[in-house]
Amino acid sequence: MDAMRDIREMHEELTAWRRDLHAHPETAFEERRTSDFIAEKLTGFGLEVYRGLAGTGVVATLTHGTNGRAIGLRADMDALFLQEENDFAHRSQNDGKMHACGHDGHSTMLLGAARYLARNRWFDGTVRFIFQPAEETGNEECGGNRMVRDGLFERFPVDAVFGMHNFPGIPLGHFSVRTGPMLASIDTFEFKVLSEHNHPATQFTSPDPILLAGRIVEAFHSFKARSINPAEPVVMSITQFQAGDPTNDRQGVHITPDHAYVRGTVYTLNDAVRDIMQSQLPNIAEGIASAGGAGCDFSYERGYPVLINAPREKELAVSAASALVGAERVETDMEPIMGAEDFAFMLKEKPGCYILIGNGDSESSCHVHNPKYDFNDDAIPFGVGYWVSLVESYLPAS
Ligand SMILES: [Zn+2]
Ligand SMILES: [Zn+2]
């Protein structure tokens, strides 16, 4: 691809931008410096910039030619609440916050594409560069959903929308994608089994919340194994189980707890399975608690939906990536991943495709959300090249 020579010429500068963003990580809806940095660059490229969707969101528009079609390209900007353990010069300067998911790289690659396309307008149509906050919240109050709710696609119409995420373990210069469900939905639930405090010697006189909560957890696992079609992936995990007061022993008194608290997550690749989990888990918990004479407070919170790639847009993504790196470096039917991503909210509104870009597979490349993680700057030209290739094939110049 001819563009690669020009893109490689920007590599050093883009690496400096990426490291600047890495050194100044900001978390959900507080990406003010990041948003200023991005908006300033985009304005400098001569793009029309709009700020304020979902608070810190930035949308830039670049139109060339007469074709009425429009494509949306999306990057995420937020960091995680995590203490960085790297000691290189561009390590986080914000205590307890870190770009451990590579969103610094995603923002930089999309900025690189905006700069290249503003200078080299070999396309006919409109490109929307979408920079969203708060990808990492895990609940419906995330940046992707809020931008959609704030009218992203009404104010900035597109025919299709595309996203990209780095993936450690995939070799540098390689891409992975699939048609249909590619990432899971994520939901969380929590419940309390309610009883009353008692003396351990007379626990038989009131419901035991620990025993009942344990039975409920066990029943959830059996339910998943025996009531959901095994061909449908679903991962249910208990992430917290708390009961009792740890000061009891210190004080030399012995009191049984008046409640047990349990929290967990549900990942699925099918909304119908998600509906079953949401409707049945409370029934099981309340049934077991009530059979044991206890009360139960249950709540189930929906997070991100299943991320589904549209067949036509996926083929476009594959041909754009193949034009860049060769078909042999593009995995077109990868296994779905049981992690979640809020780009799924945009894909519920518009057809599109989400693709993984290799962050390298060397032994030192640790996974995202690890305090030693760093985005691989050598991936930048491939990411920029992919966006450019996608725009030029989606909106071909006449
Ligand atoms: Zn992440
Ligand atoms: Zn991420």
Side-chain angles (χ1 to χ4, degrees):
M1 193 182 141
D2 295 345
M4 279 314 268
R5 197 191 63 238
D6 292 341
I7 290 170
R8 289 201 182 280
E9 275 173 17
M10 297 194 287
H11 192 188
E12 198 177 325
E13 195 176 357
L14 292 179
T15 298
W17 295 357
R18 204 286 296 177
R19 294 183 180 188
D20 186 302
L21 292 174
H22 188 92
H24 302 94
E26 295 172 304
T27 46
F29 300 115
E30 292 175 356
E31 306 89 342
R32 284 180 274 274
R33 182 189 183 278
T34 310
S35 169
D36 286 348
F37 182 99
I38 288 166
E40 190 183 306
K41 298 281 183 232
L42 294 166
T43 306
F45 307 155
L47 271 61
E48 201 181 301
V49 177
Y50 182 88
R51 303 185 67 178
L53 285 185
T56 52
V58 183
V59 183
T61 299
L62 178 64
T63 297
H64 184 67
T66 53
N67 183 346
R69 294 179 73 205
I71 183 175
L73 313 179
R74 168 275 198 181
D76 38 17
M77 305 187 288
D78 58 319
L80 289 154
F81 289 101
L82 187 66
Q83 185 64 42
E84 179 153 9
E85 290 178 9
N86 294 309
D87 53 12
F88 41 61
H90 63 277
R91 69 184 173 277
S92 170
Q93 293 177 21
N94 298 345
D95 251 12
K97 297 183 179 179
M98 176 186 174
H99 267 298
C101 204
H103 300 182
D104 47 349
H106 304 165
S107 289
T108 302
M109 294 189 291
L110 192 54
L111 278 178
R115 182 191 212 173
Y116 176 89
L117 290 163
R119 288 177 175 177
N120 305 277
R121 304 187 179 194
W122 303 112
F123 65 92
D124 184 5
T126 294
V127 188
R128 315 270 192 204
F129 302 90
I130 303 164
F131 294 84
Q132 73 146 79
E135 192 288 316
E136 298 281 3
T137 67
N139 57 42
E140 288 185 332
E141 287 309 306
C142 55
N145 196 22
R146 271 193 53 188
M147 281 192 97
V148 169
R149 284 205 325 248
D150 281 3
L152 173 64
F153 296 127
E154 287 79 42
R155 290 188 203 205
F156 305 102
V158 297
D159 297 294
V161 66
F162 293 82
M164 171 161 52
H165 205 292
N166 78 95
F167 204 82
I170 297 177
L172 201 63
H174 288 233
F175 291 84
S176 278
V177 69
R178 67 175 281 113
T179 308
M182 175 160 144
L183 290 168
S185 62
I186 175 178
D187 296 336
T188 55
F189 62 83
E190 60 181 358
F191 64 87
K192 269 184 183 176
V193 175
L194 304 164
S195 180
E196 60 193 45
H197 289 298
N198 203 334
H199 190 292
T202 57
Q203 175 67 80
F204 57 89
T205 62
S206 64
D208 180 346
I210 295 180
L211 179 63
L212 292 170
R215 278 187 188 153
I216 293 169
V217 169
E218 213 274 325
F220 280 6
H221 284 285
S222 310
F223 172 75
K224 192 191 76 175
R226 281 291 165 264
S227 305
I228 303 283
N229 181 345
E232 292 290 353
V234 50
V235 183
M236 196 267 319
S237 292
I238 301 300
T239 55
Q240 281 186 54
F241 193 121
Q242 295 171 354
D245 180 348
T247 61
N248 276 0
D249 285 340
R250 268 209 303 275
Q251 294 172 343
V253 294
H254 298 283
I255 306 167
T256 63
D258 65 351
H259 73 273
Y261 171 80
V262 179
R263 188 172 161 86
T265 55
V266 176
Y267 293 87
T268 77
L269 289 175
N270 179 334
D271 278 336
V273 174
R274 200 179 179 199
D275 292 344
I276 294 172
M277 296 296 278
Q278 180 168 13
S279 67
Q280 289 307 308
L281 295 188
N283 290 342
I284 295 166
E286 283 154 15
I288 291 173
S290 135
C296 183
D297 267 355
F298 196 104
S299 71
Y300 190 102
E301 187 185 343
R302 286 203 166 214
Y304 304 168
V306 182
L307 183 145
I308 299 170
N309 283 337
R312 186 171 160 272
E313 283 68 22
K314 180 261 190 172
E315 285 312 316
L316 281 161
V318 167
S319 51
S322 301
L324 182 73
V325 296
E328 69 283 3
R329 294 192 180 86
V330 183
E331 163 67 68
T332 60
D333 192 22
M334 61 172 273
E335 292 266 303
I337 295 173
M338 295 307 285
E341 156 69 64
D342 83 344
F343 184 60
F345 284 106
M346 295 190 188
L347 288 181
K348 276 181 91 86
E349 302 297 313
K350 297 287 171 184
C353 181
Y354 183 76
I355 197 167
L356 301 181
I357 178 171
N359 202 51
D361 59 350
S362 73
E363 277 180 21
S364 62
S365 68
C366 65
H367 220 283
V368 294
H369 293 214
N370 182 306
K372 295 253 186 231
Y373 169 87
D374 192 28
F375 182 81
N376 188 339
D377 291 311
D378 291 338
I380 293 173
F382 296 109
V384 177
Y386 167 73
W387 286 135
V388 169
S389 175
L390 188 64
V391 168
E392 290 179 352
S393 59
Y394 193 82
L395 302 172
S398 44

